[in-house]
Amino acid sequence: MAEKEGAIVKKGHEEGLKMAVSLLEEFGLPMGLLPLADVIEVGFVKNTGYMWIQQNKKIEHKFKMISKMVSYDTEINGYIDKKRIKKLKGVKAKELMLWPPVNEMTVDDPPTGKIQFKSLAGITKTFPVEAFAAGQ
């Protein structure tokens, strides 16, 4: 795929997870935003910000602090930038009985301690950033 051209790619869970976490850190995003298990591959294209993560199975993770269930598909991709990920695919957050796809995440800048999630349907939800800290 053309969008993967010139990418840095890490294979395997340990290396892949390390890279995913360091990307979140580098772009000022909460470290617990992507609770991954069984990573196959993580890639990042520095020129465009395109990143992808492949994992063996879909994961559902509950962020306890905000009682929010989030589903992470076997392939997650999007464009990572300072304090945001846009055109995100493979992440859904449970709203009542529905699982609308999340297509953008933005940490407020200047920092207010808040992070916003936008769905394709135009729904925006705001939560405290610390809800997505590592270990949550």
Side-chain angles (χ1 to χ4, degrees), residues 58-63 67-73 90-103 119-121 123:
K58 191 175 141 174
I59 298 175
E60 285 186 5
H61 180 83
K62 183 166 189 151
F63 290 97
S67 301
K68 182 63 68 188
M69 193 65 126
V70 181
S71 147
Y72 297 86
D73 232 322
V91 179
K92 294 177 179 158
K94 192 168 190 189
E95 286 298 329
L96 305 168
M97 303 312 289
L98 302 171
W99 287 87
V102 175
N103 81 321
S119 76
L120 287 168
I123 300 161

Side-chain angles (χ1 to χ4, degrees), residues 63-121:
F63 290 97
K64 292 180 191 71
M65 199 172 173
I66 54 170
S67 301
K68 182 63 68 188
M69 193 65 126
V70 181
S71 147
Y72 297 86
D73 232 322
T74 51
E75 172 127 14
I76 300 162
N77 62 54
Y79 292 85
I80 192 167
D81 200 354
K82 185 179 189 279
K83 306 255 187 215
R84 70 194 293 202
I85 300 175
K86 55 185 198 250
K87 293 187 182 168
L88 184 65
K89 291 186 176 78
V91 179
K92 294 177 179 158
K94 192 168 190 189
E95 286 298 329
L96 305 168
M97 303 312 289
L98 302 171
W99 287 87
V102 175
N103 81 321
E104 193 170 309
M105 300 182 216
T106 310
V107 173
D108 285 356
D109 194 16
T112 59
K114 301 282 184 213
I115 182 167
Q116 295 182 10
F117 294 85
K118 288 184 188 139
S119 76
L120 287 168

